[in-house]
Amino acid sequence: MPAIPAKLFNEIEALSGAGDALYEAGDYKAAIAKYKAGYALVPAPKEEWEMGTSLLIAIGDTQFANGDFARAIETLTTASFTPAGMGNPFVHLRLGQALFETGALDLAAESLQRIRGHGDDSIFEDEDPKYLDFLQSRTPNL
């Protein structure tokens, strides 16, 4: 696959950076708009570009932070099927958390359990402890 032209790449990066700044400021709706604007510029097939996957993950993470768990599930599920998203511990963390928040506990446990294949629970360190507690209650021998 050829590289994204530099001018387009820089434009997408600028939108992503603006989204990151808005996220950090707590303006989640505006951050999502910036991320989506950047994603719209990613050439087709969007899922094949690492940049496309990164933007999907940012959108899903921001939807989660905004409490829009159903949309986060949709977005992060899409990201989990991309080449750069398969096996990505952060994707499975946020997807599992969003599933947990909607009450889809079996699916949440399955998604969170995929993180365990990466060797440790350090990804949970900055997260609400309820998610690791939940996972440990579902897998008490770990």
Side-chain angles (χ1 to χ4, degrees):
M1 179 174 279
I4 295 175
K7 182 178 179 186
L8 180 58
F9 181 89
N10 291 337
E11 189 174 348
I12 296 167
E13 281 284 300
L15 288 165
S16 180
D20 291 346
L22 290 162
Y23 179 96
E24 291 301 320
D27 191 348
Y28 301 132
K29 289 182 181 184
I32 290 168
K34 292 293 185 185
Y35 293 139
K36 285 184 174 181
Y39 187 72
L41 296 177
V42 175
K46 295 177 185 305
E47 297 78 19
E48 295 296 317
W49 296 99
E50 188 172 326
M51 180 175 268
T53 300
S54 294
L55 285 163
L56 282 175
I57 294 168
I59 293 165
D61 180 39
T62 308
Q63 290 166 329
F64 177 83
N66 198 40
D68 192 351
F69 305 122
R71 282 201 176 103
I73 291 167
E74 289 177 33
T75 304
L76 293 166
T77 297
T78 300
S80 75
F81 286 104
T82 66
M86 286 183 199
N88 180 313
F90 185 78
V91 171
H92 292 294
L93 173 69
R94 278 293 180 266
L95 179 57
Q97 290 171 319
L99 289 161
F100 175 90
E101 295 299 338
T102 63
L105 300 182
D106 289 340
L107 292 172
E110 182 180 319
S111 187
L112 293 171
Q113 182 59 40
R114 291 182 182 174
I115 298 167
R116 285 272 164 90
H118 294 275
D120 65 50
D121 294 329
S122 63
I123 195 168
F124 290 96
E125 287 176 3
D126 294 328
E127 304 298 325
D128 187 318
K130 70 182 177 183
Y131 301 113
L132 182 57
D133 292 345
F134 165 72
L135 178 59
Q136 289 172 335
S137 77
R138 290 295 184 111
T139 54
N141 58 330
L142 295 176

